[in-house]
Every structure is written in structure tokens, then in C-alpha cells.
Amino acid sequence: MEVRPNQAVDNSSTSPQQHRRRAAAAASKQPVSATNAVDTTSVTQRLQKELMALMMSSGDLGVSAFPEGESIFTWIGTIKGGEGTMYEGLSYKLSLRFPLDYPFKPPQVKFETMCFHPNVDQFGNICLDILQDKWSSAYDCRTILLSVQSLLGEPNPESPLNTYAAALWNNKEDYRKMVQEQYFGGKTLES
């Protein structure tokens, strides 16, 4: 029987977490993956199901969304301003970026079309509770789009991202003028 000297292993670039993972794998004789692989199959299936449901039902509601390019995790959505609101007759483009742990975390949703609104900043970020602390995995893309559409007509001026829009909200004539000016003046936001 040949005895080999113990070769030194350089663990200086190994994190404690990786070291524990390797030790556990060695103990159980399981292969070790270099990174934490994320199984996106269930997320992909969920998003495909949501896309089909949205395609079948939402055209009449004034909301739609489709994947942008090849990735199921990046969508472009469209919402139409609700009847009787300052946004009636206007159509807004949104980007939706779904995280790998969707639906347990909300997607990042932003206006890509300029939108003058108390709860939308100049970069298109949206202040909406269901996209933050009130998120539930029961929500889907359709719910998000309908909520943003509803927010257009019913802003929360108590939690503004755009303080000028919040202050102007009660002056309907001037507010409508600014909505039109922003919409027709700058069609798409810079990302």
C-alpha cells in the first residue's frame, strides 16, 4: 500500500459557506456545485401560465403584457388610462422584471412612458404598496397591471414620489395640462 503525503489545499479564496457546503457534500459523497443553482422551472411555468391567462382575458380591461425578447423574466406591459380619469385616452408602456424567486418577491415595475403622477418619479419608479411591503404571492401580472391602472385615477398624494404632482392634484385643470404636457412632450424615459 502506497502512502502519499498530504497535499496542502489552498482554502484562502473559499468562503466559510462554500467550505461548509464542500464538507457536507464530501460527508454525503454528493457532487458539489460551484454556485447556488436556481431552479427556474417553476417560475418559468408560472410566468407562462400568467401570460396565457393575460392573453385570454385582459384585452377588454385596457391592460396587456408580453415577454420582451427571449427572456420570460422581462416583460413589456401596456395600460390604458381609465375612463373618467385625467389619463383617459392615453396609453402607457411599463417594464416588468421578474426576480428568480417570483412569486415570493414582487417584480420591478417601471413606467417607460413619461407619466406625471404623484406616485411616479421622473425615472418611472412607482410607489404602490403591492409592489413593496404588501406584496403577496397570490398576485399575478394581471393584478399588478390593473393596480397600476387604478393608481392612475386614484393616486395616494400622502405618499408622493412626485411632490409637485401631489400638490397640483386638487387643481384638476392645471393637473390635466401637466399630464398632457409630460405625455406628449417626452414619450419614453431614459433607463
Side-chain angles (χ1 to χ4, degrees), residues 51-125:
L51 176 61
M52 291 305 292
L54 195 57
M55 289 171 52
M56 301 296 280
S57 69
S58 67
D60 298 336
L61 302 173
V63 299
S64 64
F66 299 94
E68 179 182 42
E70 297 296 316
S71 175
I72 191 76
F73 292 93
T74 305
W75 293 20
I76 292 293
T78 304
I79 59 171
K80 293 182 179 174
E83 289 183 29
T85 71
M86 305 282 190
Y87 302 90
E88 184 174 1
L90 304 178
S91 180
Y92 290 90
K93 188 166 97 171
L94 300 130
S95 62
L96 298 95
R97 302 201 189 297
F98 296 92
L100 296 177
D101 50 358
Y102 178 80
F104 303 107
K105 297 264 174 77
Q108 179 188 37
V109 182
K110 290 176 72 171
F111 275 92
E112 295 298 325
T113 307
M114 290 292 287
C115 182
F116 183 76
H117 190 277
N119 306 115
V120 179
D121 70 13
Q122 74 263 21
F123 304 110
N125 297 308

Coordinates of all heavy atoms in Angstrom, one line a residue, residues 51-125:
L51 N -49.0 34.5 -18.5 CA -49.0 35.1 -19.9 C -50.2 34.6 -20.6 O -51.0 35.4 -21.3 CB -47.7 34.8 -20.6 CG -47.7 35.2 -22.1 CD1 -47.8 36.7 -22.2 CD2 -46.4 34.7 -22.8
M52 N -50.5 33.3 -20.6 CA -51.7 32.7 -21.3 C -53.0 33.3 -20.7 O -53.8 33.7 -21.5 CB -51.6 31.2 -21.2 CG -50.5 30.5 -21.9 SD -50.5 31.0 -23.7 CE -52.0 30.2 -24.2
A53 N -53.1 33.4 -19.4 CA -54.3 34.0 -18.8 C -54.5 35.4 -19.2 O -55.6 35.9 -19.5 CB -54.2 33.8 -17.3
L54 N -53.4 36.2 -19.2 CA -53.4 37.6 -19.6 C -53.9 37.7 -21.0 O -54.7 38.6 -21.4 CB -52.1 38.2 -19.3 CG -52.0 39.7 -19.3 CD1 -52.9 40.3 -18.3 CD2 -50.5 40.1 -19.0
M55 N -53.3 36.9 -21.9 CA -53.7 37.0 -23.3 C -55.1 36.6 -23.6 O -55.8 37.2 -24.4 CB -52.8 36.0 -24.1 CG -51.3 36.5 -24.2 SD -50.2 35.3 -24.9 CE -51.0 34.8 -26.4
M56 N -55.7 35.7 -22.7 CA -57.0 35.3 -22.9 C -58.1 36.3 -22.3 O -59.2 36.3 -22.8 CB -57.2 33.9 -22.2 CG -56.3 32.8 -22.8 SD -56.7 32.4 -24.5 CE -58.1 31.4 -24.3
S57 N -57.7 37.1 -21.3 CA -58.7 37.8 -20.6 C -58.6 39.3 -20.6 O -59.6 40.0 -20.4 CB -58.8 37.3 -19.2 OG -57.6 37.7 -18.5
S58 N -57.4 39.9 -20.8 CA -57.2 41.3 -20.3 C -57.4 42.3 -21.4 O -57.4 43.5 -21.1 CB -55.9 41.5 -19.7 OG -54.9 41.3 -20.6
G59 N -57.5 42.0 -22.7 CA -57.6 42.9 -23.7 C -58.8 43.9 -23.5 O -58.6 45.1 -23.7
D60 N -59.9 43.5 -23.0 CA -61.0 44.4 -22.7 C -60.8 45.3 -21.5 O -61.5 46.2 -21.3 CB -62.3 43.5 -22.5 CG -62.6 42.7 -23.7 OD1 -62.3 43.0 -24.8 OD2 -63.3 41.6 -23.5
L61 N -59.8 44.9 -20.7 CA -59.6 45.7 -19.4 C -58.6 46.8 -19.6 O -58.4 47.6 -18.7 CB -59.0 44.8 -18.4 CG -59.9 43.6 -18.0 CD1 -59.2 42.6 -17.1 CD2 -61.2 44.1 -17.4
G62 N -58.0 46.9 -20.8 CA -57.1 48.0 -21.1 C -55.7 47.8 -20.5 O -54.9 48.7 -20.3
V63 N -55.4 46.5 -20.3 CA -54.0 46.1 -19.9 C -53.5 44.9 -20.7 O -54.3 44.1 -21.1 CB -53.9 45.7 -18.4 CG1 -54.3 46.9 -17.5 CG2 -54.8 44.5 -18.0
S64 N -52.2 44.9 -21.0 CA -51.6 43.8 -21.7 C -50.2 43.7 -21.4 O -49.6 44.7 -20.9 CB -51.8 43.9 -23.2 OG -51.1 45.0 -23.7
A65 N -49.6 42.6 -21.6 CA -48.1 42.4 -21.4 C -47.6 41.2 -22.1 O -48.4 40.2 -22.2 CB -47.8 42.3 -19.9
F66 N -46.4 41.3 -22.6 CA -45.7 40.2 -23.3 C -44.3 40.2 -22.9 O -43.7 41.2 -22.6 CB -45.9 40.3 -24.8 CG -47.3 40.3 -25.2 CD1 -48.0 41.5 -25.4 CD2 -48.0 39.2 -25.5 CE1 -49.3 41.6 -25.8 CE2 -49.3 39.2 -25.9 CZ -50.0 40.4 -26.0
P67 N -43.6 39.0 -23.0 CA -42.2 39.0 -22.8 C -41.5 39.8 -23.8 O -41.9 39.9 -25.0 CB -41.8 37.5 -22.9 CG -43.1 36.8 -22.6 CD -44.2 37.7 -23.1
E68 N -40.4 40.5 -23.4 CA -39.6 41.3 -24.3 C -38.4 40.4 -24.7 O -37.6 40.0 -23.9 CB -39.1 42.5 -23.5 CG -38.2 43.4 -24.4 CD -37.7 44.6 -23.6 OE1 -37.3 44.4 -22.4 OE2 -37.7 45.7 -24.2
G69 N -38.3 40.1 -26.0 CA -37.3 39.3 -26.5 C -37.4 37.8 -26.0 O -38.5 37.3 -25.9
E70 N -36.3 37.2 -25.8 CA -36.3 35.7 -25.5 C -36.5 35.4 -24.0 O -36.8 34.3 -23.7 CB -34.9 35.1 -25.9 CG -34.7 35.2 -27.4 CD -35.7 34.4 -28.2 OE1 -36.0 33.3 -27.8 OE2 -36.2 35.0 -29.2
S71 N -36.3 36.4 -23.1 CA -36.4 36.1 -21.7 C -37.9 36.2 -21.2 O -38.5 37.2 -21.3 CB -35.5 37.0 -20.9 OG -35.7 36.8 -19.5
I72 N -38.3 35.1 -20.5 CA -39.6 35.1 -19.9 C -39.6 36.0 -18.6 O -40.7 36.4 -18.1 CB -40.1 33.7 -19.5 CG1 -41.6 33.6 -19.1 CG2 -39.2 33.1 -18.4 CD1 -42.5 33.7 -20.3
F73 N -38.4 36.4 -18.2 CA -38.3 37.2 -16.9 C -38.4 38.7 -17.2 O -38.4 39.5 -16.2 CB -37.0 36.9 -16.2 CG -37.0 35.5 -15.7 CD1 -36.5 34.4 -16.4 CD2 -37.6 35.2 -14.4 CE1 -36.5 33.1 -15.9 CE2 -37.6 33.9 -13.9 CZ -37.1 32.9 -14.6
T74 N -38.4 39.2 -18.4 CA -38.5 40.6 -18.7 C -39.7 40.8 -19.7 O -39.7 40.3 -20.8 CB -37.2 41.1 -19.4 OG1 -36.1 40.8 -18.6 CG2 -37.3 42.6 -19.6
W75 N -40.7 41.6 -19.2 CA -41.9 41.8 -20.0 C -42.0 43.3 -20.3 O -41.5 44.2 -19.5 CB -43.1 41.4 -19.3 CG -43.2 39.9 -19.1 CD1 -42.2 38.9 -19.1 CD2 -44.4 39.2 -18.8 NE1 -42.7 37.7 -18.9 CE2 -44.1 37.8 -18.7 CE3 -45.7 39.5 -18.5 CZ2 -45.0 36.8 -18.4 CZ3 -46.7 38.6 -18.2 CH2 -46.3 37.2 -18.2
I76 N -42.8 43.6 -21.3 CA -43.3 45.0 -21.6 C -44.8 45.0 -21.5 O -45.5 44.1 -22.1 CB -42.9 45.4 -23.0 CG1 -41.3 45.6 -23.1 CG2 -43.6 46.7 -23.4 CD1 -40.8 46.7 -22.3
G77 N -45.3 45.8 -20.6 CA -46.7 45.9 -20.4 C -47.3 47.2 -20.9 O -46.5 48.2 -21.1
T78 N -48.6 47.2 -21.2 CA -49.3 48.5 -21.6 C -50.5 48.6 -20.8 O -51.2 47.6 -20.5 CB -49.7 48.3 -23.1 OG1 -48.5 48.1 -23.9 CG2 -50.3 49.6 -23.6
I79 N -50.8 49.8 -20.3 CA -52.0 50.1 -19.6 C -52.6 51.4 -20.3 O -51.9 52.3 -20.7 CB -51.8 50.3 -18.1 CG1 -50.9 51.5 -17.8 CG2 -51.4 49.1 -17.4 CD1 -50.8 51.9 -16.3
K80 N -53.9 51.3 -20.4 CA -54.6 52.5 -20.9 C -55.2 53.2 -19.7 O -55.7 52.6 -18.8 CB -55.7 52.0 -21.9 CG -55.2 51.4 -23.1 CD -56.2 51.0 -24.1 CE -55.6 50.4 -25.3 NZ -56.5 49.9 -26.3
G81 N -55.2 54.6 -19.8 CA -55.8 55.4 -18.8 C -57.3 55.1 -18.7 O -58.0 54.9 -19.7
G82 N -57.8 55.0 -17.4 CA -59.2 54.6 -17.2 C -60.2 55.7 -17.6 O -59.8 56.9 -17.6
E83 N -61.4 55.3 -18.0 CA -62.4 56.3 -18.4 C -62.7 57.2 -17.2 O -62.8 56.8 -16.1 CB -63.7 55.6 -18.8 CG -63.5 54.9 -20.1 CD -64.9 54.2 -20.6 OE1 -65.9 54.7 -20.2 OE2 -64.8 53.2 -21.3
G84 N -62.9 58.5 -17.5 CA -63.2 59.5 -16.5 C -62.1 59.9 -15.6 O -62.2 60.6 -14.7
T85 N -60.8 59.5 -16.0 CA -59.6 59.9 -15.2 C -58.9 61.0 -16.1 O -59.2 61.2 -17.2 CB -58.7 58.8 -14.9 OG1 -58.1 58.3 -16.1 CG2 -59.4 57.6 -14.2
M86 N -57.9 61.6 -15.5 CA -57.0 62.5 -16.2 C -56.2 61.8 -17.3 O -55.6 62.5 -18.1 CB -56.0 63.2 -15.2 CG -56.7 63.9 -14.0 SD -57.3 65.4 -14.5 CE -57.8 66.1 -12.9
Y87 N -56.2 60.5 -17.2 CA -55.4 59.7 -18.1 C -56.2 59.1 -19.2 O -55.6 58.3 -20.0 CB -54.6 58.7 -17.3 CG -53.7 59.3 -16.3 CD1 -54.2 59.6 -15.0 CD2 -52.4 59.7 -16.5 CE1 -53.5 60.2 -14.0 CE2 -51.7 60.4 -15.6 CZ -52.2 60.6 -14.3 OH -51.4 61.2 -13.4
E88 N -57.5 59.3 -19.3 CA -58.3 58.7 -20.3 C -57.8 59.0 -21.7 O -57.4 60.1 -22.0 CB -59.7 59.3 -20.2 CG -60.7 58.6 -21.1 CD -62.2 59.1 -20.9 OE1 -62.4 59.9 -20.0 OE2 -63.0 58.6 -21.6
G89 N -57.8 58.0 -22.5 CA -57.3 58.1 -23.9 C -55.8 58.0 -24.1 O -55.3 58.0 -25.2
L90 N -55.0 57.9 -23.0 CA -53.6 57.8 -23.0 C -53.2 56.3 -22.8 O -53.9 55.6 -22.1 CB -52.9 58.7 -22.0 CG -53.3 60.2 -22.0 CD1 -52.6 60.9 -20.9 CD2 -52.9 60.7 -23.4
S91 N -52.1 55.9 -23.4 CA -51.6 54.6 -23.2 C -50.2 54.6 -22.7 O -49.3 55.4 -23.3 CB -51.7 53.8 -24.6 OG -51.2 52.5 -24.5
Y92 N -49.8 53.8 -21.7 CA -48.5 53.9 -21.0 C -47.8 52.5 -21.2 O -48.4 51.5 -21.0 CB -48.7 54.3 -19.6 CG -49.1 55.7 -19.4 CD1 -50.4 56.0 -19.3 CD2 -48.1 56.7 -19.3 CE1 -50.8 57.4 -19.1 CE2 -48.5 58.0 -19.1 CZ -49.8 58.4 -19.1 OH -50.2 59.7 -18.9
K93 N -46.6 52.6 -21.5 CA -45.7 51.4 -21.6 C -45.0 51.2 -20.2 O -44.5 52.2 -19.7 CB -44.7 51.6 -22.7 CG -43.9 50.3 -23.0 CD -43.2 50.4 -24.4 CE -41.8 50.9 -24.2 NZ -41.0 50.8 -25.4
L94 N -44.9 50.0 -19.7 CA -44.3 49.7 -18.5 C -43.3 48.6 -18.7 O -43.5 47.7 -19.6 CB -45.3 49.2 -17.4 CG -46.3 50.2 -17.0 CD1 -47.7 49.5 -17.1 CD2 -46.1 50.7 -15.7
S95 N -42.2 48.5 -17.9 CA -41.3 47.4 -18.0 C -41.6 46.6 -16.7 O -41.8 47.1 -15.6 CB -39.9 47.8 -18.0 OG -39.5 48.6 -16.9
L96 N -41.6 45.3 -16.8 CA -41.7 44.4 -15.7 C -40.5 43.4 -15.7 O -40.3 42.7 -16.7 CB -43.0 43.6 -15.8 CG -44.3 44.4 -15.8 CD1 -44.8 44.7 -17.2 CD2 -45.4 43.7 -15.0
R97 N -39.8 43.4 -14.6 CA -38.7 42.5 -14.4 C -38.9 41.6 -13.3 O -39.0 42.0 -12.1 CB -37.4 43.3 -14.2 CG -37.1 44.3 -15.4 CD -35.7 44.7 -15.5 NE -35.5 45.8 -16.5 CZ -35.8 45.7 -17.8 NH1 -36.3 44.6 -18.3 NH2 -35.5 46.8 -18.6
F98 N -39.1 40.3 -13.6 CA -39.5 39.3 -12.6 C -38.2 38.7 -12.0 O -37.3 38.3 -12.7 CB -40.3 38.2 -13.2 CG -41.6 38.7 -13.7 CD1 -41.8 39.1 -15.0 CD2 -42.7 38.7 -12.8 CE1 -43.0 39.6 -15.5 CE2 -44.0 39.2 -13.3 CZ -44.1 39.6 -14.6
P99 N -38.1 38.7 -10.6 CA -36.9 38.1 -10.0 C -37.0 36.5 -10.1 O -38.0 35.9 -10.4 CB -37.1 38.5 -8.5 CG -38.5 38.7 -8.3 CD -39.1 39.2 -9.7
L100 N -35.9 35.9 -9.9 CA -35.8 34.4 -9.9 C -36.6 33.8 -8.9 O -37.0 32.6 -9.0 CB -34.3 34.0 -9.9 CG -33.5 34.4 -11.0 CD1 -32.0 33.9 -10.8 CD2 -34.0 33.9 -12.4
D101 N -36.9 34.5 -7.8 CA -37.7 33.9 -6.7 C -39.2 34.4 -6.8 O -39.9 34.4 -5.8 CB -37.1 34.2 -5.3 CG -36.7 35.6 -5.1 OD1 -36.9 36.4 -6.0 OD2 -36.3 35.9 -4.0
Y102 N -39.6 34.9 -7.9 CA -41.0 35.2 -8.2 C -41.8 33.9 -8.0 O -41.4 32.9 -8.5 CB -41.2 35.8 -9.6 CG -42.6 36.2 -9.9 CD1 -43.2 37.3 -9.5 CD2 -43.4 35.3 -10.7 CE1 -44.5 37.7 -9.8 CE2 -44.7 35.6 -11.1 CZ -45.2 36.8 -10.6 OH -46.5 37.1 -10.9
P103 N -43.0 33.9 -7.4 CA -43.8 35.0 -7.0 C -43.6 35.4 -5.5 O -44.4 36.1 -4.9 CB -45.2 34.4 -7.2 CG -45.1 33.0 -6.9 CD -43.7 32.6 -7.4
F104 N -42.6 34.9 -4.9 CA -42.4 35.2 -3.5 C -41.8 36.6 -3.3 O -41.9 37.1 -2.2 CB -41.4 34.1 -2.8 CG -42.0 32.7 -3.0 CD1 -41.5 31.8 -3.9 CD2 -43.2 32.4 -2.3 CE1 -42.1 30.6 -4.1 CE2 -43.7 31.1 -2.5 CZ -43.2 30.2 -3.4
K105 N -41.3 37.1 -4.3 CA -40.8 38.5 -4.3 C -41.5 39.2 -5.5 O -41.7 38.6 -6.6 CB -39.3 38.6 -4.5 CG -38.5 38.0 -3.4 CD -38.1 39.1 -2.4 CE -37.4 38.5 -1.1 NZ -36.1 38.1 -1.3
P106 N -41.9 40.5 -5.4 CA -42.6 41.2 -6.5 C -41.6 41.5 -7.6 O -40.4 41.7 -7.4 CB -43.1 42.5 -5.8 CG -42.1 42.7 -4.7 CD -41.7 41.4 -4.2
P107 N -42.2 41.7 -8.8 CA -41.4 42.2 -9.9 C -41.0 43.7 -9.8 O -41.7 44.4 -9.0 CB -42.3 41.9 -11.1 CG -43.6 42.0 -10.6 CD -43.6 41.5 -9.2
Q108 N -40.0 44.1 -10.5 CA -39.7 45.5 -10.5 C -40.5 46.1 -11.7 O -40.4 45.6 -12.8 CB -38.2 45.7 -10.8 CG -37.9 47.2 -10.9 CD -36.4 47.4 -11.3 OE1 -35.9 46.7 -12.1 NE2 -35.8 48.4 -10.8
V109 N -41.4 47.0 -11.4 CA -42.3 47.6 -12.4 C -42.0 49.1 -12.5 O -41.9 49.8 -11.5 CB -43.8 47.4 -12.0 CG1 -44.7 47.9 -13.1 CG2 -44.0 45.9 -11.8
K110 N -41.8 49.5 -13.8 CA -41.5 51.0 -14.0 C -42.2 51.5 -15.2 O -42.4 50.7 -16.2 CB -40.0 51.1 -14.3 CG -39.1 50.9 -13.1 CD -37.6 51.0 -13.4 CE -37.2 52.5 -13.7 NZ -35.8 52.7 -13.9
F111 N -42.6 52.7 -15.2 CA -43.1 53.4 -16.4 C -42.0 53.6 -17.4 O -40.9 54.1 -17.0 CB -43.8 54.7 -16.0 CG -45.2 54.6 -15.6 CD1 -45.5 54.4 -14.2 CD2 -46.3 54.6 -16.5 CE1 -46.8 54.3 -13.8 CE2 -47.6 54.5 -16.1 CZ -47.8 54.3 -14.7
E112 N -42.2 53.3 -18.6 CA -41.2 53.6 -19.7 C -41.7 54.8 -20.4 O -40.9 55.5 -21.0 CB -41.0 52.4 -20.6 CG -40.4 51.2 -19.9 CD -39.0 51.4 -19.4 OE1 -38.2 52.2 -20.0 OE2 -38.7 50.9 -18.3
T113 N -43.0 55.1 -20.4 CA -43.6 56.3 -21.0 C -43.6 57.3 -19.9 O -43.9 57.0 -18.7 CB -45.0 56.0 -21.5 OG1 -45.0 54.9 -22.4 CG2 -45.6 57.2 -22.2
M114 N -43.3 58.6 -20.2 CA -43.3 59.6 -19.2 C -44.7 59.7 -18.6 O -45.7 59.7 -19.3 CB -43.0 61.0 -19.9 CG -41.6 61.2 -20.3 SD -40.5 61.2 -18.9 CE -40.8 62.9 -18.3
C115 N -44.8 59.8 -17.3 CA -46.1 59.8 -16.6 C -46.0 60.8 -15.4 O -45.2 60.6 -14.5 CB -46.4 58.4 -16.0 SG -48.0 58.3 -15.2
F116 N -46.8 61.8 -15.6 CA -46.9 62.8 -14.5 C -48.0 62.3 -13.5 O -49.1 62.2 -13.8 CB -47.4 64.2 -15.1 CG -47.4 65.3 -14.1 CD1 -46.3 65.9 -13.6 CD2 -48.7 65.7 -13.6 CE1 -46.4 66.9 -12.7 CE2 -48.7 66.8 -12.7 CZ -47.6 67.4 -12.2
H117 N -47.5 62.0 -12.3 CA -48.4 61.4 -11.3 C -47.7 61.5 -9.9 O -46.5 61.4 -9.8 CB -48.6 59.9 -11.7 CG -49.6 59.2 -10.9 ND1 -49.4 58.7 -9.6 CD2 -50.9 59.0 -11.1 CE1 -50.5 58.2 -9.1 NE2 -51.5 58.3 -10.1
P118 N -48.5 61.7 -8.9 CA -48.0 61.8 -7.5 C -47.1 60.6 -7.1 O -46.2 60.8 -6.3 CB -49.2 62.0 -6.6 CG -50.2 62.6 -7.5 CD -50.0 62.0 -8.9
N119 N -47.5 59.4 -7.6 CA -46.8 58.2 -7.1 C -45.8 57.6 -8.1 O -45.5 56.5 -8.0 CB -47.8 57.2 -6.7 CG -48.8 57.7 -5.7 OD1 -50.0 57.9 -6.0 ND2 -48.3 58.1 -4.5
V120 N -45.4 58.5 -9.1 CA -44.4 58.1 -10.1 C -43.3 59.1 -10.2 O -43.6 60.3 -10.3 CB -45.1 57.9 -11.5 CG1 -44.0 57.5 -12.5 CG2 -46.2 56.9 -11.4
D121 N -42.1 58.7 -10.0 CA -41.0 59.7 -10.1 C -40.5 59.9 -11.5 O -41.0 59.3 -12.5 CB -39.8 59.4 -9.2 CG -39.0 58.2 -9.6 OD1 -39.1 57.7 -10.7 OD2 -38.2 57.7 -8.8
Q122 N -39.5 60.8 -11.7 CA -39.1 61.2 -13.1 C -38.4 60.0 -13.8 O -38.2 60.1 -15.0 CB -38.2 62.4 -13.1 CG -36.8 62.2 -12.5 CD -36.7 62.6 -11.1 OE1 -37.6 62.6 -10.3 NE2 -35.4 62.8 -10.7
F123 N -38.0 59.0 -13.1 CA -37.4 57.8 -13.7 C -38.4 56.7 -14.0 O -38.0 55.6 -14.4 CB -36.3 57.3 -12.8 CG -35.2 58.4 -12.4 CD1 -35.2 58.9 -11.2 CD2 -34.4 58.9 -13.4 CE1 -34.2 59.9 -10.8 CE2 -33.5 59.8 -13.1 CZ -33.4 60.3 -11.8
G124 N -39.6 56.9 -13.6 CA -40.6 55.9 -13.9 C -40.9 54.9 -12.7 O -41.7 54.0 -12.8
N125 N -40.2 55.1 -11.6 CA -40.4 54.3 -10.4 C -41.8 54.5 -9.9 O -42.3 55.7 -9.9 CB -39.4 54.6 -9.4 CG -38.0 54.2 -9.8 OD1 -37.7 53.1 -10.3 ND2 -37.1 55.1 -9.7

